[in-house]
Amino acid sequence: MDLKATYTLATTDYCYNRGGMYSMLANCELVSIEAKFSRDMLSSYLWSTLKGVVPDRYKDVEGRITIVDD
C-alpha cells in the first residue's frame, strides 16, 4: 500500500460512522452514499454480471453455499 496515494473505498454506513473501531474513516471525504442492502447488491451482481450462473470456483470455497435445483 502506498501511504501517499489516494484510494477510493466502499464500506457500510456502520463502518463509515466509526462503528466497529473504524475511527480512521472519521476525516475521510464521503463521495457518495447509496442505501442498498448487501443481499440486493449480491443479487444484482449474480444476475447482471454472472447472468444467474454461479461459477464452479465459488460453489465449494467455504461450503456455505448450496445450489438447489427448483
Side-chain angles (χ1 to χ4, degrees), residues 15-29:
C15 292
Y16 179 75
N17 290 307
R18 289 175 255 142
M21 300 174 58
Y22 285 87
S23 60
M24 74 287 290
L25 299 177
N27 297 317
C28 293
E29 174 189 1

Side-chain angles (χ1 to χ4, degrees), residues 15-65:
C15 292
Y16 179 75
N17 290 307
R18 289 175 255 142
M21 300 174 58
Y22 285 87
S23 60
M24 74 287 290
L25 299 177
N27 297 317
C28 293
E29 174 189 1
L30 180 61
V31 177
S32 70
I33 188 166
E34 294 185 34
K36 293 185 179 182
F37 290 107
S38 297
R39 66 167 189 253
D40 297 333
M41 290 187 291
L42 175 60
S43 177
S44 176
Y45 172 75
L46 287 173
W47 290 108
S48 65
T49 304
L50 299 180
K51 308 299 184 215
V53 179
V54 178
D56 287 337
R57 68 180 180 272
Y58 294 128
K59 291 180 181 176
D60 295 319
V61 174
E62 294 180 353
R64 298 185 300 165
I65 297 175

